[in-house]
Amino acid sequence: GHALGMVGFRTPDDVLFVADTLFSEDILGKYKVSYCADVGAALETLERLETLEAAWFVPCHAAPSEDIRGLVAANRRAFETVSALLAEAAREPAIREELFARVLERLDVALDFVQYGLLFATLSAHLTFLHEKGVLRPEFSGGRLFWERCT
């Protein structure tokens, strides 16, 4: 879910390279929102990681570890927090940029151009996920796309 087509690798000595599926708690705390192209797929990957056994797990954005369950839980909480904040922000219908502003204000995230691009894509992925789950619905009005909570 982090990026389309991403894969992990297991070596013959039982080291599992899990790429960008996990971010350290420091990174999650600093950025509040980790880049993700497909929230549903990312959550499925986290579920699968919890069941895998390996001598070592090596993520790209966290220290190697023999047990990643705590890190998986922290990453899941980060996704759930962002989705919950978006759902709450959409109690009053709004266009995507307004919803993002509401969420980023709640998270106290400062943006630069790079962060804006990454977060715009990530929060869009959360909107898609919430729509697929029946939490949000899109509605066109006045030539703009509004998002609102389903009742």
Side-chain angles (χ1 to χ4, degrees), residues 119-138:
L119 294 181
F120 194 83
T122 299
L123 293 173
S124 294
H126 278 272
L127 287 176
T128 299
F129 173 73
L130 291 168
H131 174 61
E132 290 169 349
K133 293 293 183 189
V135 176
L136 298 181
R137 69 173 166 258

Side-chain angles (χ1 to χ4, degrees), residues 67-125:
D67 182 0
I68 58 167
R69 288 180 294 228
L71 196 53
V72 168
N75 279 260
R76 181 181 294 109
R77 278 191 306 274
F79 281 118
E80 290 169 349
T81 296
V82 172
S83 284
L85 288 172
L86 264 176
E88 179 62 30
R91 285 194 182 278
E92 181 181 321
I95 62 172
R96 182 168 39 181
E97 285 213 345
E98 178 59 33
L99 291 175
F100 293 174
R102 292 174 189 173
V103 168
L104 297 177
E105 184 177 348
R106 286 281 311 273
L107 291 172
D108 193 28
V109 172
L111 294 177
D112 59 25
F113 283 111
V114 172
Q115 283 297 104
Y116 179 83
L118 292 172
L119 294 181
F120 194 83
T122 299
L123 293 173
S124 294

Side-chain angles (χ1 to χ4, degrees), residues 134-146:
V135 176
L136 298 181
R137 69 173 166 258
E139 185 74 34
F140 285 99
S141 177
R144 295 186 297 169
L145 177 62
F146 286 81

